[in-house]
Amino acid sequence: MTRTTKTTVTFARPFFLGDSVHELPAGAYDIETDEELLAGLSFPAYRRTEIRLHVPTGAVQKGRSRTLIILPQDLDAALQRDKPL
């Protein structure tokens, strides 16, 4: 069984994901996270299997975006680096 959750994350500063050489601008990003139910447990628990980050293409094409499939640990690390000191 798979479930998908939708959230928005906001970066205060430009950021990189993983070992990408492309910097993404600060701002709000829509995130979709797919999780699968872990079998064999006495309580419901889920594991993240895929994260999609929707990157706006800019003001020229308002309302359009491109989607990046990213690793959960890359998103977690980028959010951690974005925290104020």
Side-chain angles (χ1 to χ4, degrees):
M1 179 174 183
T2 301
R3 69 179 183 185
T4 300
T5 56
K6 296 178 181 183
T7 58
T8 300
V9 296
T10 301
F11 288 91
R13 295 178 292 281
F15 64 100
F16 292 92
L17 289 169
D19 57 0
S20 174
V21 296
H22 299 289
E23 183 178 73
L24 296 171
Y29 290 82
D30 292 329
I31 302 277
E32 291 180 12
T33 304
D34 290 343
E35 300 171 301
E36 67 181 6
L37 183 64
L38 298 174
L41 299 176
S42 60
F43 56 91
Y46 290 83
R47 176 178 69 89
R48 293 184 292 185
T49 57
E50 182 174 277
I51 296 179
R52 293 177 298 282
L53 176 86
H54 299 281
V55 180
T57 56
V60 175
Q61 298 175 343
K62 216 168 193 115
R64 301 195 73 186
S65 67
R66 63 184 169 117
T67 301
L68 303 176
I69 297 175
I70 60 174
L71 297 172
Q73 59 269 26
D74 290 344
L75 177 61
D76 293 342
L79 289 168
Q80 187 66 32
R81 287 189 304 268
D82 193 57
K83 285 184 178 180
L85 299 174

